[in-house]
């Protein structure tokens, strides 16, 4: 299976937005790319998957949903707790099976985690440890503004400790642009300390066309990091 996993430095940093833009970009480039959400919390059905499928122009099929969103829990909490409150347990084997099934549907798969990379999937398994089992490279999404240096460096350190390959970092402004000085210096500082490529910064994008345009150079750098072979 070819693909990558989009992880983040925290919850709400823009992972889903970046993952959707990446799928759209790859498909526009002729790649048969698809999306998978490993675990969703905060709704009985994966809102991230619905958003991603719509953005990529893919069918909203209930059977497909079961494959591309193997776990969805209503409680907005860490996956392990959301699962427990729903009377369930997240089984790594089921996640691996979902990845394999999605890989048969799409020659290139963009998988997305939940929250930051050190959230627990179960009481004895962190997301980062599961990602290490997959062998997929990680694309890290981080906030652009205040606090991102610490969160970004800790995330890179956690992934490296587990020998998860890191393609690079994408900084996301969110709905409003951060302080200009921080937005200029934070990515540069993170890149220098982490020795990881910064693949770009995504500004606030109120419309899909603006988001696609802003993401295009980031997408090109991701392709370069992956290698251009389909």
């Amino acid at each position: 299976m070819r693909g990558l996993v989009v992880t983040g430095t925290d919850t709400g940093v823009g992972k889903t937005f970046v993952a959707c833009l990446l799928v759209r970009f790859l498909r526009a480039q002729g790649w048969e790319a698809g999306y998978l959400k490993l675990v969703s919390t905060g709704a009985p059905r994966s809102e991230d998957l619905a958003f991603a499928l719509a953005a990529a122009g893919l069918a909203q099929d209930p059977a497909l949903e079961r494959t591309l969103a193997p776990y969805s829990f209503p409680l907005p909490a860490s996956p392990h707790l959301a699962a427990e409150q729903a009377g369930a347990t997240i089984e790594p084997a089921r996640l691996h099976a979902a990845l394999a099934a999605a890989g048969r549907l799409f020659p290139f798969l963009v998988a997305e985690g939940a929250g930051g990379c050190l959230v627990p999937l179960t009481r004895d398994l962190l997301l980062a440890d599961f990602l290490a089992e997959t062998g997929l490279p990680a694309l890290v999404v981080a906030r652009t503004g205040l606090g991102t240096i610490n969160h970004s460096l800790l995330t890179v350190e956690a992934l490296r400790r587990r020998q998860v390959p890191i393609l690079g970092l994408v900084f996301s402004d969110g709905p409003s642009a951060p302080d200009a000085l921080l937005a200029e210096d934070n990515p540069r500082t993170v890149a220098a300390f982490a020795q990881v490529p910064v693949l770009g910064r995504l500004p606030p994008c109120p419309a899909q066309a603006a988001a696609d345009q802003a993401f295009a150079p980031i997408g090109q750098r991701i392709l370069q990091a992956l290698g251009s072979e389909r």
Side-chain angles (χ1 to χ4, degrees), residues 51-206:
F51 178 73
L53 292 178
L58 297 170
Q60 304 278 340
D61 184 329
L64 189 64
E65 181 178 332
R66 287 190 291 272
T67 298
L68 301 182
Y71 288 105
S72 296
F73 305 111
L75 183 69
S78 173
H80 78 289
L81 181 59
E84 288 175 358
Q85 292 301 301
T89 300
I90 294 173
E91 299 175 2
R94 181 172 168 184
L95 294 178
H96 282 296
L99 283 167
R104 290 190 290 271
L105 291 171
F106 303 107
F108 191 92
L109 186 64
V110 177
E112 183 191 348
C117 73
L118 289 183
V119 299
L121 296 178
T122 69
R123 291 285 172 180
D124 56 6
L125 180 66
L126 298 173
L127 175 61
D129 294 315
F130 174 79
L131 298 183
E133 295 176 4
T134 70
L136 292 172
L139 177 67
V140 179
V141 180
R143 287 190 180 89
T144 307
L146 185 65
T148 197
I149 294 175
N150 179 66
H151 287 175
S152 299
L153 295 180
L154 286 172
T155 299
V156 169
E157 185 174 297
L159 293 171
R160 279 198 173 132
R161 180 182 174 190
R162 293 161 175 81
Q163 300 182 348
V164 176
I166 304 172
L167 285 178
L169 291 103
V170 174
F171 286 86
S172 176
D173 288 0
S176 59
D179 177 85
L181 180 60
L182 296 182
E184 177 184 356
D185 187 71
N186 282 346
R188 181 174 60 197
T189 300
V190 170
F193 278 101
Q195 292 297 293
V196 170
V198 171
L199 302 175
R201 171 190 168 197
L202 193 62
C205 299

Side-chain angles (χ1 to χ4, degrees), residues 35-37 46-54 60 64-65 68-69:
Y35 170 90
L36 179 143
K37 178 73 174 184
S46 176
E47 295 176 352
D48 289 346
L49 175 63
F51 178 73
L53 292 178
Q60 304 278 340
L64 189 64
E65 181 178 332
L68 301 182

